[in-house]
Every structure is written in structure tokens, then in C-alpha cells.
Amino acid sequence: MTTDHTPGAGKAFAAEWARLPEEYPAVNDAAHRSPLQSPEQQPSDGSAVQAPAPRYGGAPAPATLSSGRIIAMVVAALLAFAAVVAVGVQWLWPAVGVGERHGEAEAGKGSWSVPYMPTGETHSTMIRGVWFTDKAVVKALPDGVHAYRPADGKELWTVRNPDGTKLCQASTDSTGDIAVFARGKGDDCSTFAAVDLASGKQLWEHTLDAEDQVVGAGDKIARSGDTVVVSAAGHRTSALRAGDGTLLWKETAELLGGKDCHGTLGISSMGYTGGRRLVRLQSCWNEERDTVYDAVGVDPATGRAQWAYRLGEHGGEAKVLATSPVVVNVPESRDMKQLRPVVLDDAGRLRTRLAGGPDTDRELLTTDGSPAANVQIKGDRIFVVAQDEKTDATDNNKMVAWSLTDGQRLWEQRSRGYLQTFYAVASDTDDVLAYMAGNIHDPARLVRFDPATGRRTLVRRYPPTPRTAWIGSDPLALVSRGRLYLSAGFVGEKPGEAPRPRQKALIVLPAS
């Protein structure tokens, strides 16, 4: 048995959040107290206790037992045995906690959520737009951009979409307190806009001109400084100024060096990725009419190439994982999930090739124009949430660390247990954090990895997945100012579909 447990873990299997109000306010002990315990029997430290002995109103216990009572006694014995096993596992595998109490987990004060509200439009894209200001957390939702007070979730302002449209993409970059997003109707997502996160005012709106001969690489927003490169299917990729929406340049053959090249093919990983550097993955035909692939450093102001790095035979499967420094995953075969990253210097030269292993990428989210969500760079190390290409099931994965200087593989840590997976947590600190999604039986966890050794410690434990609140199977996790923000992963939506009360767009929990 490999799942971590703490004293009282036996109660977690019985605990549910069915009594929680829909809007997920602060969680209290009563909300997930075991049905076997009355309030006065619930121990203050959350440890397991025996179920009370049956009472017969003061009369002697009957000499014979009915079949119902026999079944009840068997069930009670099994529960008691489970509690003993849980305590034993805790003794063998002690959890190291920081700022959290042992026993049955609690979400703590200040927990709140935002319901997912369908738009009536088909929608199945993960929108990563979560931004922070001094006073608000701002979330891009299908119906518009919403700002909330972090302490209690009070809505501060909203920029709603025009009727009949949906918000379909958003940049993760909010430099200068300006967030850029895209909206449209049906399959179209070609209208881009920006909002001032401090005031809640929309700054500008720009709709791309449709061009029949342009395929495009889907809906992307790649922001680098005050330049935002926007793409939409059937529209020419264009660069706008983030502050006022002024058109800076359009992608043309001349801009691509006059070659027969494409920066935004109908391949989702092609196109632009923003960040400290603006990087374009492009394909070209050479003199022999063979397709070659390059990663290109782009001047955000002009769109012109500053350097190019040839990606090799399988460059068509490449993905940009990070842009500070530039890290590109270049598989050694046509298996686009094979994890073989290379690190480039500021001039586009090979700096190091990370040591390969039995690794595949796992939902690296490199198709929306922002750097990958499951990659963290802290100092001279890169940390990637990956899967083992041979042994990992879909409900387990691992965190792998490399040196950016020499490419040496430093360590890896596997997740263990039923439906226990790591999700990299974005933060503005040097901590290497991951959120371990739980399930209806086992608690979720916020964990910290030692950058040098990979040793894992527990930061906070949360209740098992509640039956009244669901963030999705692949949440985006962020930590800001002592709070954990879980943003919904891929949420499928069909026209006319009724709201699902359990589905949440954002869940906020304490992170310390």
C-alpha cells in the first residue's frame, strides 16, 4: 500500500462534502465529520476513534443476534480494522507537514469558489488566464473577465462578452496590469481585446481580417513585453501593441525571409510562444523541396528573425516549453510525446541537451501561445512534470529535475496512489511546488520539492474531492500571497447544455 495516510485517514473514506453550500464558502469541521461520530465524539486532533457501542435503552443485550445486527457488527469490525491499518501506514510512512494540522484535513478560512457558467456555445478549450493585482485575482471565463477579492471571493468588476459570443483564449502574461484575451462565436475566435486589470476597463478591441488562403495554427496569444502576437484559424497571424491595440506587423513571406515558410501551419505546436523571448516554430521547404523545421528568435517590434536553430528530422513534433531560457522539446522519433528538451542560449545556439530517459510529456499545454504549464525554471534547474513512457498509468506521473548548465538529470519523484498526480504550481517564489490531485477517498495535497535532492515535504493537505465541487481532471494550479488557486482544466460544453452545479471555474484554498 503506497498512498500516504495520516491519523484519521479512515474517516476520510467516509467523509463527503455533500452538505457544503454550492458556492464553497469556508470549510468547517462539521462539513466533513464522519457519520459514525457525533460532534462531541469528534476528537480535536482529528484522530480515529471507535464507533460507539450499540445501546439498547438500558435493557440487557439480547442473547441472539439478528442477521441485520451481525452484518452491522461485521461492518464495524472492518471499519475498525481500516482505522488500525491507516495508523500503521502513517507510522511506517510519516507525512511531514508545514502549517497544517494532522488528522482530517480542512480547507480553512477564506476558501471559496466560482461556478462554471456555460455560454451556450461549443467550448472545450482550457483557458489559462488567471492574473493577480494588489487587490484582486482576475479570471478569464467563457462569459468574460471577472475580478474577485482574494480574501472572500467578492466580485469587484466584470468585463462581459457581447451577447452570443464566448471568451476562447487568454494570455497568461499580464505585464503592466494589462491582460489580452480573445472572443468569438461558433468556431471563430478572431476578435482580440485587452483589459486594464487595475480599473476593470476594456482598453481596446481588434478583429483580424479573414483570409481564405490562410490555415493558421488555431487560437493563440503569444505576448512578449508590450507586443502580443495573435493567431486564429483562417486569419493571418498579426502583432498588436498590448497597450493600445495598434497593429505592428503581419506574418508574410517577406517577413519569413522570402522563403517558402510557414510560422502558423495547421499544426497546433507551430507558431509563436511568448515570454521573455518571442519564439516561432516554423517549417520551410529547402532547395530539394524537403521540409525543414526551425526554432526562430523573433524581434517582437518588427517580427523579423534574430536567430534560427535547426530542429532536425522530427522538428515537426517540437514544442516550446519555456522562453527564459529558450527550451524546446525535440523528439528523436515521430512520437511527439517523447521528452527530449534542448536548451538554447540568447543567440539561439545549443547550450545543452537534457539527458534523456523513459519520459513523455504530460499535458504540457504548449498550444495557446504561452510557455508550458507543467514546466518550472528556478535558477539553474528545470523541473518538468512528466510520465514514464513504459510504467506509469494515467493516474500517476513524476517530477523530473535537470541542470540547465550541463543537462545532467538530477532526480525524479513519482506520485503514488490511486488517481494521485502532480500538477506544477506556478508561483513567484523559489519554491518548487506541485499540487497532488486527490479523489473522493484520498485527500489532495500541496507539496514542496527540495530543488537539490527532490525530497518531498507536505505543505498543506485538503479534503478529498467534494461531491459538490469539481475543478476538473487537469487543473491549472497557482500560488499567490499564501493562497492556492485551482483553475478549471478542459471543460467540455455543448450548445444548449444546462449548467452543471458541481463544476467550478476557480477554487481558492489556503496554501500555508
Side-chain angles (χ1 to χ4, degrees):
M1 185 171 184
T2 56
T3 304
D4 292 349
H5 289 284
T6 58
K11 295 184 312 204
F13 284 79
E16 295 181 2
W17 283 5
R19 294 192 291 273
L20 278 180
E22 177 58 31
E23 293 308 308
Y24 201 138
V27 176
N28 53 62
D29 284 342
H32 37 265
R33 180 177 294 127
S34 169
L36 295 178
Q37 295 170 298
S38 62
E40 59 270 19
Q41 292 169 324
Q42 184 78 7
S44 59
D45 66 352
S47 59
V49 299
Q50 285 186 319
R55 297 181 180 180
Y56 300 99
T64 59
L65 298 176
S66 66
S67 60
R69 285 174 181 164
I70 292 174
I71 292 173
M73 291 178 66
V74 171
V75 171
L78 289 173
L79 288 173
F81 176 74
V84 171
V85 171
V87 172
V89 172
Q90 164 62 16
W91 179 75
L92 291 170
W93 193 290
V96 180
V98 179
E100 57 91 35
R101 71 181 181 89
H102 289 286
E104 189 151 12
E106 60 177 4
K109 294 182 179 179
S111 303
W112 51 272
S113 71
V114 175
Y116 182 90
M117 297 303 295
T119 62
E121 290 277 331
T122 300
H123 190 278
S124 60
T125 301
M126 182 175 183
I127 300 174
R128 285 203 276 165
V130 180
W131 311 288
F132 300 97
T133 70
D134 291 341
K135 299 179 179 179
V137 53
V138 185
K139 177 76 176 89
L141 297 173
D143 68 340
V145 179
H146 300 253
Y148 304 94
R149 189 163 61 192
D152 56 13
K154 178 182 178 182
E155 188 159 17
L156 303 177
W157 52 260
T158 302
V159 175
R160 294 197 179 277
N161 300 335
D163 290 344
T165 64
K166 65 177 183 294
L167 192 151
C168 40
Q169 197 50 269
S171 171
T172 60
D173 190 323
S174 59
T175 301
D177 277 352
I178 296 174
V180 180
F181 57 95
R183 57 193 175 205
K185 185 174 183 179
D187 295 331
D188 180 72
C189 188
S190 61
T191 296
F192 298 84
V195 61
D196 183 334
L197 298 180
S199 65
K201 303 296 183 183
Q202 183 170 307
L203 300 175
W204 53 264
E205 182 177 285
H206 181 99
T207 300
L208 300 180
D209 296 329
E211 297 188 33
D212 294 338
Q213 302 304 314
V214 176
V215 178
D219 310 324
K220 291 190 173 196
I221 302 176
R223 183 171 178 186
S224 186
D226 196 37
T227 297
V228 55
V229 181
V230 295
S231 305
H235 300 76
R236 188 172 297 278
T237 295
S238 303
L240 311 173
R241 184 179 293 125
D244 58 17
T246 299
L247 178 65
L248 300 177
W249 48 268
K250 288 187 177 183
E251 189 179 76
T252 62
E254 187 275 332
L255 193 64
L256 294 173
K259 303 176 183 178
D260 193 356
C261 298
H262 302 274
T264 49
L265 282 173
I267 304 174
S268 60
S269 61
M270 292 285 106
Y272 295 79
T273 301
R276 188 175 72 87
R277 294 275 178 182
L278 182 62
V279 180
R280 178 176 68 230
L281 295 185
Q282 66 182 35
S283 62
C284 302
W285 280 346
N286 61 16
E287 291 77 8
E288 290 77 28
R289 304 302 288 176
D290 295 323
T291 302
V292 294
Y293 302 94
D294 294 289
V296 179
V298 177
D299 178 359
T302 65
R304 297 190 179 278
Q306 297 174 317
W307 50 259
Y309 176 81
R310 182 59 47 87
L311 295 174
E313 180 183 358
H314 303 291
E317 314 299 336
K319 298 178 182 179
V320 177
L321 306 184
T323 61
S324 180
V326 175
V327 182
V328 184
N329 188 46
V330 188
E332 297 172 348
S333 68
R334 294 197 62 83
D335 180 5
M336 63 183 300
K337 290 189 175 183
Q338 187 184 56
L339 197 57
R340 295 293 185 270
V342 297
V343 183
L344 308 182
D345 65 16
D346 288 344
R349 298 181 296 255
L350 178 65
R351 174 179 169 184
T352 186
R353 191 181 303 273
L354 304 188
D359 312 313
T360 60
D361 65 21
R362 183 185 187 279
E363 300 297 346
L364 291 177
L365 298 174
T366 53
T367 60
D368 61 1
S370 294
N374 271 15
V375 175
Q376 301 180 66
I377 293 179
K378 307 285 184 178
D380 192 45
R381 297 182 177 94
I382 182 171
F383 308 90
V384 180
V385 172
Q387 282 189 275
D388 192 293
E389 63 183 1
K390 294 182 179 179
T391 62
D392 277 355
T394 56
D395 57 351
N396 292 123
N397 60 4
K398 59 186 178 181
M399 178 77 80
V400 186
W402 288 271
S403 165
L404 290 172
T405 300
D406 58 17
Q408 180 182 353
R409 191 185 188 94
L410 302 176
W411 52 262
E412 69 175 52
Q413 270 272 13
R414 294 178 179 275
S415 66
R416 300 179 185 276
Y418 172 64
L419 292 180
Q420 297 287 339
T421 53
F422 293 134
Y423 294 94
V425 177
S427 72
D428 54 3
T429 71
D430 292 332
D431 288 332
V432 181
L433 301 172
Y435 173 71
M436 290 185 68
N439 51 67
I440 62 172
H441 303 303
D442 302 303
R445 296 172 174 85
L446 178 64
V447 297
R448 179 187 293 113
F449 296 92
D450 183 293
T453 66
R455 181 177 181 270
R456 190 177 81 199
T457 56
L458 179 68
V459 178
R460 183 111 186 177
R461 182 179 289 103
Y462 305 100
T465 302
R467 295 188 183 277
T468 57
W470 170 246
I471 198 61
S473 58
D474 289 290
L476 175 70
L478 310 94
V479 164
S480 177
R481 300 185 180 185
R483 293 182 175 88
L484 173 65
Y485 295 84
L486 301 175
S487 180
F490 295 94
V491 180
E493 183 180 337
K494 299 177 181 179
E497 188 175 47
R500 289 164 285 177
R502 185 173 178 245
Q503 178 67 59
K504 302 297 181 180
L506 184 70
I507 292 178
V508 182
L509 301 164
S512 59

